[in-house]
DNA sequence: AGAATCATGTAAGGGGTTACATGATTCG
DNA sequence: CGAATCATGTAACCCCTTACATGATTCT
């Protein structure tokens, strides 16, 4: 019922642009999202099936002459709510910026939603809080390894925050 | 037969310190590696079983009075070779620094191996090459999203390289 | 004629997660 | 007396990956 950072949200987001069949959804995905999110075609079909079972999608069969029939998926109300919830909430870990947070920005642009600056700010807050925790926890920095680990976390976190601040400029005009 | 960044290498590395039984291995893991690598106890037992089947470990049963018998695991020659190969090679992606590369540094320290500076240098090279590729590929930076994605990749890569250079100082004395 | 595109999947296999099962000893 | 520690696992479930299956049309 609850999925994490799995590609379900990508598929939901694509269907926010209107009803589409599996092949079409995958085409959209490959042309626009493959750069930062991976998904195979068979997995896409499997996910769509599961998502329909979970009630966030519904499908209609559309018959064609001389072709296999298409299964047109639409997003349900429950699906829309789920998607909008997701798209406006920050991620919990730096490691989720690369795919999940990026996807949120992508859909905000693609679907012309409001709130890009808002979610970027929320994300900065989340990471800043984590950064403070890391900096203040002076537990067992006793050897070279602990030092390296500690400075890695701070470096990743800091550069992520800097990038987010930069992002605000990119998105400040339209969103 | 071939495992990627799975916790198998953590278990192999722990057994490089000498034969141990499952519970003991997991104790070592929890006390020293949990900070940066996650593994559950049942998964540890499952992995040890599989690794024995793959010929990188062997086990001996040791009987005890009034206690369940212990299964003592030792690393085989094939296992040692596999581990040393792994520990001295850089990872392919920035995202693998946090767990996998960190684990390599951890074991180099823990097992008092040579070559910390060597692997750090190799890792810097790998990432620098990727950075050049990203910077030179001027493909379709057409909207705010592409700009954000591009600058994220450069930021993560750059801060990783800076951190690696800093790491060389931490490890320069003894290794 | 062969490759790519359209369009849908299933099957087998592998791996991880969570919960459960067992049972003695030792510590507070 | 209950909790933690010692010590080992199994079973059910879910998910993903890879390969395979089908078959017409359109492009080169």
């Amino acid at each position: 019922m609850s999925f994490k950072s799995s590609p379900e949200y990508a598929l939901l987001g694509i269907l926010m642009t209107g009803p589409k069949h599996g092949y079409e959804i995958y085409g959209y995905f490959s042309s626009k999202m493959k750069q930062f999110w991976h998904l195979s075609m068979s997995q896409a079909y499997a996910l769509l099936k599961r998502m329909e079972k979970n009630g966030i999608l519904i499908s209609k069969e559309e018959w064609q002459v001389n072709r296999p029939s298409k299964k047109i998926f639409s997003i349900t109300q429950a699906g829309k709510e789920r998607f909008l919830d997701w798209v406006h909430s920050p991620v919990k870990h730096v490691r989720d910026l690369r795919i999940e947070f990026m996807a949120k920005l992508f859909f905000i642009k693609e679907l012309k939603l409001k709130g890009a600056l808002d979610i970027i700010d929320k994300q900065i807050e989340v990471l800043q809080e984590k950064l403070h925790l890391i900096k203040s926890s002076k537990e067992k920095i006793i050897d070279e390894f602990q030092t390296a680990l500690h400075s890695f976390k701070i470096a990743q976190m800091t550069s992520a925050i800097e990038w987010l601040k930069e992002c605000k400029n990119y998105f400040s005009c339209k969103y």
Side-chain angles (χ1 to χ4, degrees), chain A residues 32-47:
Chain A
K32 303 195 171 185
M33 307 184 67
K34 239 194 348 203
Q35 287 169 77
F36 62 96
W37 204 334
H38 170 263
L39 182 62
S40 73
M41 200 149 91
S42 23
Q43 183 59 4
Y45 279 110
L47 291 173

Side-chain angles (χ1 to χ4, degrees), chain A residues 125-142:
Chain A
E125 263 177 63
V126 169
L127 297 188
Q128 229 139 28
E129 195 159 328
K130 288 200 115 189
L131 183 58
H132 289 146
L133 278 178
I134 294 171
K135 280 185 174 169
S136 67
S137 91
K138 35 192 170 289
E139 38 151 355
K140 43 183 177 177
I141 308 287
I142 41 173

Side-chain angles (χ1 to χ4, degrees), chain A residues 9-106:
Chain A
Y9 287 112
L11 301 179
L12 270 189
I14 293 171
L15 285 172
M16 287 288 286
T17 64
K20 283 177 181 53
H21 61 273
Y23 195 83
E24 217 177 339
I25 293 170
Y26 192 73
Y28 185 109
F29 182 89
S30 312
S31 69
K32 303 195 171 185
M33 307 184 67
K34 239 194 348 203
Q35 287 169 77
F36 62 96
W37 204 334
H38 170 263
L39 182 62
S40 73
M41 200 149 91
S42 23
Q43 183 59 4
Y45 279 110
L47 291 173
L48 289 168
K49 192 177 185 174
R50 197 169 74 207
M51 288 160 79
E52 182 167 19
K53 208 180 65 189
N54 291 344
I56 51 180
L57 301 183
I58 39 159
S59 67
K60 260 190 309 192
E61 203 93 1
E62 188 176 287
W63 295 95
Q64 303 185 110
V65 201
N66 276 341
R67 290 267 172 147
S69 60
K70 297 180 204 170
K71 208 169 169 185
I72 313 271
F73 290 94
S74 314
I75 190 165
T76 62
Q77 188 56 31
K80 273 180 199 168
E81 280 162 22
R82 185 84 88 97
F83 175 79
L84 290 172
D85 250 31
W86 171 80
V87 96
H88 291 117
S89 40
V91 300
K92 297 211 168 49
H93 310 284
V94 189
R95 62 169 177 272
D96 298 325
L97 289 176
R98 193 175 58 91
I99 293 179
E100 209 181 337
F101 185 78
M102 219 44 101
K104 291 172 199 233
L105 288 184
F106 171 79

Side-chain angles (χ1 to χ4, degrees), chain A residues 101-158:
Chain A
F101 185 78
M102 219 44 101
K104 291 172 199 233
L105 288 184
F106 171 79
F107 281 122
I108 287 173
K109 187 215 75 184
E110 200 70 4
L111 304 170
K112 299 185 170 60
L113 303 174
K114 302 279 172 194
L117 297 182
D118 197 52
I119 192 196
I120 296 173
D121 277 327
K122 283 189 214 158
Q123 192 63 65
I124 291 174
E125 263 177 63
V126 169
L127 297 188
Q128 229 139 28
E129 195 159 328
K130 288 200 115 189
L131 183 58
H132 289 146
L133 278 178
I134 294 171
K135 280 185 174 169
S136 67
S137 91
K138 35 192 170 289
E139 38 151 355
K140 43 183 177 177
I141 308 287
I142 41 173
D143 54 17
E144 329 69 272
F145 176 74
Q146 296 296 334
T147 310
L149 182 55
H150 190 253
S151 84
F152 177 77
K153 286 181 183 174
I154 290 176
Q156 287 299 92
M157 208 70 83
T158 306

